[in-house]
């Protein structure tokens, strides 16, 4: 029995490559899925059966046509040609008889010749016998035979008569006339026989030529078909050999795959497992060979999910086995009625994700939840309309601790306070409290109960008692201020609750009276003051009553002023207002956009004046608030300001905080790249105090890092501060960033920074913030000394 499977396999490989060259990989997969699915083997078998039948048909046709040609040729040679010759001989005999008869009548023949020539009349009978055999029962032949007999009879009578001495010429003429008629009639019939034989010969010739042509055509077609089939098979073999190495390599993929791969049948029994499965079982301290222990308990759910979706052939999910986490890729093999499972160990990734999630929601020093988590919790509670209490706690005089003892001492005390609050909160279950760390000195409390004043006071007393009995670092005497508000009585969102709690906190701190730690109507006066401050600020913005001061920045290598940071100042009712007081209010009141636009535009105007005065190398740095940076039209604003003021973009530096770039990363990257295309310089302000992360430094195109003054203030006394600053400087240098230190107030600080390789400084040691004209004179005088 002929087996077509090997040929079919080769043909499929060849067809696959040819289709791939036409339709591409994706089109090939779809097309071949339809071609080589169910019924493909039957189709190919039919094709090969047709080809084989065609070959047999051509062979049989050539054989039969050859026999037919041979028979026609033989018949032509043995019958028609000999018959044609005999007819000519017969015609010659008639002529010879006519000549003999004429010679006899003229008495020209001797007697011997007469005897000899009489044999002429006997020869046609031998020819006639052969013609009868060849032509059979032919009417013309019968007439010729009868005529010859009659001719012989009449001729014999004539010859016998003319030998008589009294022969009558008239009777002789009658004999001759009769012989002539017979001969003429015989010649006509002979010519009919000759024409008949000519026709037969012509037909036989045509049949032979046609047969030869058909044989040639069949042989040609069969040769072409044989060549095509041979070409396809040879190409398929060549392609098969060329792909054999890749096929063998792919066939070894599961066994060499370091990740576990195994298959399940329709009853979820393991039908195959690669060596990595055994290694994983050993790692999990499970019996080797029991691969079914690696199957997730919920596998049936995901299988049903795939079966329910006709457009889905696979799915991915995660699950845990003992202490390890895995990503499972489940594939449906419909043709085999099996499932393939590929496992990837994601334990390390899970640990990183957990760590990142923890860092995003917790303060890295205290381990408490951060402001982001606080705002989210408050928003959720407000959304659920559940009554709760909102509290603020602050370490009093923390700035003095920071200034007097340094960052390390302040950080240590802050952590110890966080531990005390956490311990009290955990033991004070009646309020269902949770604690949050908002900043270096600030904490928040959320109680999911509508705590009355008595419960709040009890909680505060316990915290106070614990704090008073705790010995803190450097024997620092910790004092806390408190402020509480309640939802919904004192606010219906985070902002209003925070305002109310902040008002109570301010009152408590100023009066040192713990009876005022809960918001009350009297504290609304403080809020009204803030509201009035906001209104006055709105009016000041309209009337441009703000002023810009410039704090010079010094290049430590050249000793020259390279630029200045713009600082806003506001004189209200003949009193200078601290930016720390009105800037947060401007952000809360939604005025920061207008104020920020004014600062940016005015700064660029004044920077253009500096360029016109010949100070074209000065770079003016402008602080950009997160709200201002986050506006969709911020980039357009910057571009418009540069065009409107005519300031070269290289003379403008935008300072943003780390908090600006930790959200909406993709949008931030796009905005920063667009700003860089404008030629604007970019700096990170207060680096190291916010959500510091090394990852964003390589993602965002930053020019400068500003080392926060909290690290510089005690750098000459604190090794920790020196280590932090040195690390920041080395990091910046490795990333080709410019480093500038803020808050430099002493020569020793400058010397340390210079020795570490810091590029620039700003601070009171070099210059306080100056009004515009004084800044111009300061720069001109400073440069004139060089």
């Amino acid at each position: 029995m002929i087996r077509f499977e090997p040929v079919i396999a080769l043909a499929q490989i060849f067809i696959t490559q040819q289709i791939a060259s036409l339709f591409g990989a994706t089109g090939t997969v779809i097309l071949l899925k339809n071609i080589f699915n169910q019924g493909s083997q039957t189709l190919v078998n039919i094709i090969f059966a047709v080809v084989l039948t065609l070959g047999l048909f051509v062979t049989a046709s050539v054989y039969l046509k050859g026999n037919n040609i041979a028979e026609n040729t033989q018949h032509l040679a043995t019958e028609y040609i000999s018959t044609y010759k005999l007819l000519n001989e017969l015609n010659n005999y008639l002529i010879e008889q006519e000549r003999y008869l004429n010679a006899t009548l003229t008495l020209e023949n001797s007697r011997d010749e007469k005897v000899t020539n009489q044999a002429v009349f006997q020869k046609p009978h031998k020819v006639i016998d052969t013609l009868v055999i060849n032509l059979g029962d032919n009417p013309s032949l019968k007439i010729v035979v009868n005529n010859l007999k009659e001719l012989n009879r009449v001729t014999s009578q004539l010859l016998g008569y003319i030998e008589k001495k009294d022969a009558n010429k008239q009777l002789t003429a009658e004999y001759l006339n009769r012989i002539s008629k017979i001969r003429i009639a015989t010649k006509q019939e002979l010519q009919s026989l000759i024409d008949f034989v000519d026709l037969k010969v012509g037909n036989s010739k045509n049949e032979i030529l046609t047969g030869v042509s058909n044989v040639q055509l069949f042989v040609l077609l069969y040769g072409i078909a044989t060549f095509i089939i041979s070409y396809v098979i040879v190409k398929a073999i060549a392609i098969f050999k060329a792909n054999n190495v890749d096929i063998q390599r792919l066939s070894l993929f599961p066994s060499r795959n370091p990740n576990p791969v195994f298959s399940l049948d329709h009853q979820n029994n393991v039908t195959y497992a690669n060596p990595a499965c055994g290694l994983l079982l050993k790692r999990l301290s499970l019996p080797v060979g029991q691969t079914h222990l690696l199957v997730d308990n919920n596998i049936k759910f995901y299988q049903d999910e795939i079966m329910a979706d006709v457009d889905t052939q696979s799915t991915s999910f995660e699950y845990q086995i003992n202490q390890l986490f895995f990503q499972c890729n489940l594939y449906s093999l419909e043709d085999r009625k099996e499932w393939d499972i590929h496992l990837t160990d994601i334990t390390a990734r899970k640990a990183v994700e957990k760590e990142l999630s923890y860092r995003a929601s917790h303060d890295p020093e205290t381990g408490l939840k951060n402001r982001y988590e606080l705002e989210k919790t408050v928003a959720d509670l407000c959304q659920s309309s559940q009554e709760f209490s909102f509290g603020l706690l602050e370490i009093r005089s923390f700035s003095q601790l920071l200034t007097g003892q340094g960052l390390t001492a302040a950080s240590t005390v802050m952590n110890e306070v966080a531990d005390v609050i956490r311990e009290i909160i955990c033991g004070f279950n009646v309020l269902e409290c949770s604690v949050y760390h908002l900043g270096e000195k600030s904490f928040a409390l959320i109680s999911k109960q509508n705590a009355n004043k008595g419960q709040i006071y009890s909680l505060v007393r316990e915290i106070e008692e614990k704090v008073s009995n705790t010995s803190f670092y450097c024997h620092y005497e910790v004092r806390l201020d408190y402020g509480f508000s309640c939802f919904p009585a004192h606010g219906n969102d985070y902002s209003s609750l925070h305002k109310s709690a902040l008002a109570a906190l301010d009152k408590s701190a100023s009066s040192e009276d713990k009876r005022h730690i809960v918001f009350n109507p009297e504290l609304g006066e403080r809020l009204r003051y803030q509201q009035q401050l906001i209104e006055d600020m709105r009016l000041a913005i309209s009337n441009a009553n703000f002023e810009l001061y410039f704090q010079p920045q010094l290049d430590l290598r050249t000793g020259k002023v390279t630029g200045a940071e713009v600082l806003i100042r506001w004189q209200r009712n003949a009193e200078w207002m601290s930016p720390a007081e009105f800037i947060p209010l401007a952000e809360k009141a939604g005025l920061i956009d207008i104020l920020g636009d004014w600062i940016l535009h005015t700064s660029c105007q004044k920077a253009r004046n500096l360029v016109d005065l010949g100070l074209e190398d000065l770079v003016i740095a402008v602080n950009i608030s997160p709200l201002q940076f986050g506006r969709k039209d911020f980039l357009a604003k910057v571009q418009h300001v540069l065009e409107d003021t005519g300031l070269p973009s290289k003379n403008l530096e935008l300072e943003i905080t780390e908090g600006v770039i930790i959200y909406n990363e993709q949008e931030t990257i796009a905005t920063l790249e667009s700003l860089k295309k404008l030629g604007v310089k970019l700096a990170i302000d207060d680096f190291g105090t916010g959500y510091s992360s090394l990852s964003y430094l390589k993602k965002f195109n930053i020019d400068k890092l500003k080392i926060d003054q909290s690290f510089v203030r005690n750098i000459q006394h604190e090794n920790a501060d020196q280590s932090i600053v040195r690390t920041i400087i080395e990091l910046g240098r490795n990333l080709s960033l410019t480093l500038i230190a803020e808050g430099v107030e002493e020569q020793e600080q400058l010397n340390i920074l210079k020795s570490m390789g810091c590029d620039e400084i700003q601070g009171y040691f070099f210059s306080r913030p100056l009004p515009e004209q004084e800044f111009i004179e300061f720069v001109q005088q400073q440069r004139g000394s060089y």
Side-chain angles (χ1 to χ4, degrees):
M1 178 179 178
I2 298 176
R3 294 183 58 85
F4 293 106
E5 287 77 2
V7 184
I8 293 171
L10 294 175
Q12 288 180 345
I13 294 173
F14 173 73
I15 295 171
T16 298
Q17 289 215 347
Q18 297 302 316
I19 296 176
S21 66
L22 295 175
F23 300 100
T26 304
T28 301
V29 171
I30 298 173
L31 190 59
L32 293 182
K33 183 177 179 182
N34 295 327
I35 294 177
F36 292 128
N37 263 349
Q38 297 179 354
S40 63
Q41 298 237 345
T42 303
L43 177 61
V44 176
N45 278 329
I46 292 175
I47 293 174
F48 275 92
V50 170
V51 173
L52 181 60
T53 303
L54 178 62
L56 294 175
F57 171 75
V58 171
T59 303
S61 298
V62 170
Y63 176 77
L64 294 176
K65 285 293 182 181
N67 286 342
N68 189 23
I69 293 171
E71 291 176 358
N72 288 335
T73 303
Q74 183 180 4
H75 190 60
L76 178 64
T78 58
E79 294 185 13
Y80 296 137
I81 294 177
S82 62
T83 301
Y84 186 79
K85 182 179 180 181
L86 292 173
L87 289 173
N88 286 325
E89 287 182 6
L90 183 60
N91 188 49
N92 291 333
Y93 291 152
L94 292 176
I95 294 172
E96 187 177 354
Q97 286 180 355
E98 182 178 2
R99 183 185 64 79
Y100 170 76
L101 186 60
N102 290 331
T104 300
L105 293 176
T106 57
L107 301 178
E108 293 177 357
N109 293 333
S110 65
R111 181 167 183 83
D112 293 336
E113 287 177 340
K114 290 179 181 179
V115 174
T116 302
N117 289 334
Q118 283 181 352
V120 173
F121 293 95
Q122 304 300 323
K123 291 180 180 179
H125 295 287
K126 298 179 181 179
V127 175
I128 289 298
D129 293 338
T130 304
L131 286 176
V132 170
I133 295 173
N134 290 345
L135 295 179
D137 189 15
N138 186 286
S140 296
L141 182 59
K142 289 181 179 182
I143 295 174
V144 170
V145 171
N146 294 331
N147 286 344
L148 287 177
K149 291 179 180 180
E150 180 65 18
L151 181 62
N152 288 337
R153 187 183 63 81
V154 174
T155 302
S156 297
Q157 290 178 356
L158 175 61
L159 292 176
Y161 176 73
I162 61 174
E163 289 180 354
K164 296 178 178 182
K165 294 181 179 181
D166 56 349
N168 188 337
K169 290 184 178 181
Q170 183 177 359
L171 183 59
T172 300
E174 289 178 1
Y175 277 111
L176 289 173
N177 184 44
R178 188 174 180 183
I179 289 172
S180 177
K181 289 181 179 180
I182 294 172
R183 185 179 289 110
I184 291 172
T186 302
K187 286 184 176 182
Q188 289 178 349
E189 294 301 327
L190 282 175
Q191 188 61 45
S192 296
L193 288 173
I194 292 173
D195 291 341
F196 171 75
V197 172
D198 282 339
L199 179 61
K200 288 292 185 178
V201 171
N203 290 339
S204 296
K205 177 183 177 183
N206 290 335
E207 288 182 6
I208 292 171
L209 293 177
T210 301
V212 171
S213 298
N214 290 338
V215 169
Q216 290 176 339
L217 178 61
F218 284 140
V219 171
L220 178 63
L221 292 177
Y222 188 72
I224 293 174
T226 302
F227 173 77
I228 292 175
I229 294 173
S230 300
Y231 175 78
V232 171
I233 293 176
V234 169
K235 289 289 290 184
I237 292 173
I239 294 171
F240 176 79
K241 288 182 178 179
N243 290 314
N244 190 44
V245 175
D246 290 338
I247 294 172
Q248 291 180 350
R249 181 173 58 83
L250 291 175
S251 66
L252 294 175
F253 172 76
S255 61
R256 293 181 177 177
N257 193 333
N259 294 323
V261 177
F262 55 94
S263 301
L264 305 176
D265 61 16
H266 64 284
Q267 294 179 343
N268 285 337
N269 297 317
V270 177
T271 59
Y272 168 79
N274 71 342
C277 293
L279 297 177
L280 177 58
L281 289 169
K282 289 182 180 180
R283 185 182 173 192
L284 293 169
S285 299
L286 297 174
V288 177
Q290 302 296 314
T291 308
H292 66 277
L293 298 176
L294 301 178
V295 180
D296 182 34
N297 294 332
N298 297 320
I299 189 69
K300 191 67 170 62
F301 168 79
Y302 297 107
Q303 290 173 336
D304 292 341
E305 192 177 61
I306 293 176
M307 298 300 292
D309 190 349
V310 294
D311 298 325
T312 301
Q313 297 297 322
S314 64
T315 188
S316 178
F317 57 91
E318 298 175 0
Y319 67 99
Q320 183 177 0
I321 305 176
N322 295 344
Q323 74 278 14
L324 301 182
F325 291 88
F326 295 92
Q327 176 177 300
C328 176
N329 293 313
L330 177 65
Y331 302 92
S332 172
L333 306 179
E334 293 183 1
D335 55 336
R336 298 174 58 88
K337 298 187 181 302
E338 287 186 345
W339 301 88
D340 263 7
I341 293 179
H342 295 231
L343 295 183
T344 304
D345 188 347
I346 58 172
T347 305
R349 192 189 80 188
K350 279 291 185 180
V352 173
E353 289 177 354
K354 184 178 180 180
E355 178 66 19
L356 292 176
S357 177
Y358 178 84
R359 292 185 179 185
S361 59
H362 290 75
D363 181 82
E365 292 190 67
T366 63
L368 297 176
K369 293 182 179 180
N370 57 21
R371 182 187 296 273
Y372 172 76
E373 286 295 310
L374 173 65
E375 293 182 5
K376 186 172 69 172
T377 301
V378 171
D380 292 341
L381 291 173
C382 292
Q383 187 70 26
S384 66
S385 300
Q386 178 183 350
E387 293 184 351
F388 64 94
S389 298
F390 180 94
L392 295 176
L393 288 75
E394 281 191 358
I395 302 175
R396 183 178 295 187
S397 304
F398 188 79
S399 59
Q400 296 178 3
L401 170 64
L402 193 60
T403 303
Q405 300 296 329
L407 178 63
T408 301
S411 178
T412 303
V413 171
M414 182 266 296
N415 286 326
E416 292 174 342
V417 172
D419 291 338
V420 169
I421 297 174
R422 183 190 293 110
E423 181 180 348
I424 296 299
I425 293 301
C426 290
F428 205 84
N429 296 326
V430 68
L431 293 180
E432 297 184 38
C433 288
S434 53
V435 60
Y436 303 82
H437 188 189
L438 304 185
E440 59 183 9
K441 65 175 182 177
S442 302
F443 301 89
L445 297 176
I446 293 293
S447 172
K448 295 183 180 180
Q449 300 293 331
N450 185 11
N452 55 45
K453 292 183 180 181
Q455 293 173 325
I456 290 177
Y457 293 149
S458 298
L459 174 62
V460 170
R461 279 195 298 271
E462 288 200 26
I463 296 176
E464 288 287 293
E465 182 178 355
K466 182 68 176 178
V467 167
S468 63
N469 293 329
T470 301
S471 177
F472 293 97
Y473 184 75
C474 297
H475 302 288
Y476 181 74
E477 184 180 351
V478 174
R479 299 184 63 185
L480 300 177
D481 295 316
Y482 307 85
F484 287 87
S485 59
C486 298
F487 174 85
H490 304 145
N492 56 9
D493 57 19
Y494 175 83
S495 179
S496 58
L497 289 170
H498 186 270
K499 286 181 180 179
S500 299
L502 189 59
L505 177 69
D506 291 343
K507 180 64 176 177
S508 173
S510 61
S511 65
E512 298 189 6
D513 187 349
K514 295 299 184 289
R515 293 176 299 175
H516 300 295
I517 61 176
V518 179
F519 182 83
N520 57 59
E522 289 77 13
L523 295 178
E525 292 297 327
R526 173 64 180 172
L527 295 179
R528 282 191 288 272
Y529 166 76
Q530 293 179 346
Q531 186 63 39
Q532 184 60 49
L533 192 63
I534 292 173
E535 294 299 326
D536 293 346
M537 186 165 35
R538 197 186 308 274
L539 184 61
I541 293 174
S542 301
N543 297 331
N545 291 336
F546 293 94
E547 295 183 40
L548 294 183
Y549 276 52
F550 298 82
Q551 185 166 36
Q553 297 174 336
L554 178 70
D555 189 321
L556 293 180
R557 289 168 296 185
T558 64
K560 292 185 179 180
V561 176
T562 58
E565 179 182 0
V566 174
L567 303 173
I568 189 170
R569 295 290 184 264
W570 180 27
Q571 192 174 31
R572 176 178 178 265
N573 299 331
E575 294 183 3
W576 289 102
M577 302 293 297
S578 171
E581 183 177 6
F582 66 81
I583 291 296
L585 287 178
E587 291 179 346
K588 294 177 182 179
L591 298 176
I592 194 64
D593 286 347
I594 302 175
L595 184 59
D597 289 346
W598 180 85
I599 294 173
L600 179 62
H601 193 278
T602 306
S603 299
C604 290
Q605 279 185 331
K606 295 184 179 298
R608 175 65 190 183
N609 294 338
L610 296 174
V611 173
D612 292 340
L613 290 173
L615 304 175
E616 62 275 358
D617 59 337
L618 289 182
V619 177
I620 301 303
V622 181
N623 283 284
I624 303 297
S625 72
L627 293 176
Q628 187 180 8
F629 184 85
R631 292 189 316 187
K632 294 183 178 180
D633 62 343
F634 176 70
L635 177 63
K637 289 272 188 183
V638 174
Q639 189 172 6
H640 173 72
V641 168
L642 291 174
E643 294 174 353
D644 186 51
T645 60
L647 176 68
S649 57
K650 67 183 181 66
N651 295 102
L652 176 63
E653 180 178 274
L654 301 180
E655 294 185 1
I656 57 177
T657 61
E658 292 173 293
V660 170
I661 59 180
I662 64 171
Y663 302 112
N664 299 323
E665 184 175 295
Q666 295 302 321
E667 295 181 9
T668 301
I669 291 176
T671 302
L672 293 178
E673 288 179 350
S674 299
L675 289 171
K676 290 296 294 181
K677 289 179 181 179
L678 291 178
V680 174
K681 293 180 172 57
L682 301 173
I684 299 294
D685 194 18
D686 301 332
F687 181 76
T689 61
Y691 299 90
S692 300
S693 172
L694 301 182
S695 62
Y696 74 78
L697 289 179
K698 67 178 182 180
K699 295 180 182 177
F700 303 113
N701 197 354
I702 304 298
D703 298 294
K704 181 183 291 186
L705 291 182
K706 301 194 72 175
I707 304 172
D708 188 68
Q709 59 183 342
S710 62
F711 302 122
V712 178
R713 187 177 295 114
N714 295 305
I715 193 173
Q716 69 273 34
H717 305 298
E718 298 290 341
N719 292 332
D721 289 345
Q722 292 184 18
S723 298
I724 292 173
V725 172
R726 182 179 291 105
T727 300
I728 294 174
I729 292 175
E730 291 178 357
L731 173 65
R733 286 198 172 280
N734 290 333
L735 295 175
S736 301
L737 303 178
T738 301
L739 279 300
I740 180 171
E742 299 179 295
V744 178
E745 299 180 358
E746 300 179 15
Q747 179 67 49
E748 189 175 357
Q749 295 172 347
L750 185 147
N751 294 338
I752 294 173
L753 291 169
K754 191 172 185 179
S755 67
M756 290 181 178
C758 186
D759 300 303
E760 301 175 357
I761 64 165
Q762 70 179 60
Y764 276 40
F765 175 78
F766 177 57
S767 173
R768 62 180 176 82
L770 301 172
E772 178 183 9
Q773 188 57 40
E774 292 184 22
F775 172 70
I776 295 174
E777 295 173 356
F778 177 83
V779 174
Q780 291 175 339
Q781 181 181 3
Q782 193 262 354
R783 293 194 172 185
S785 62
Y786 286 90

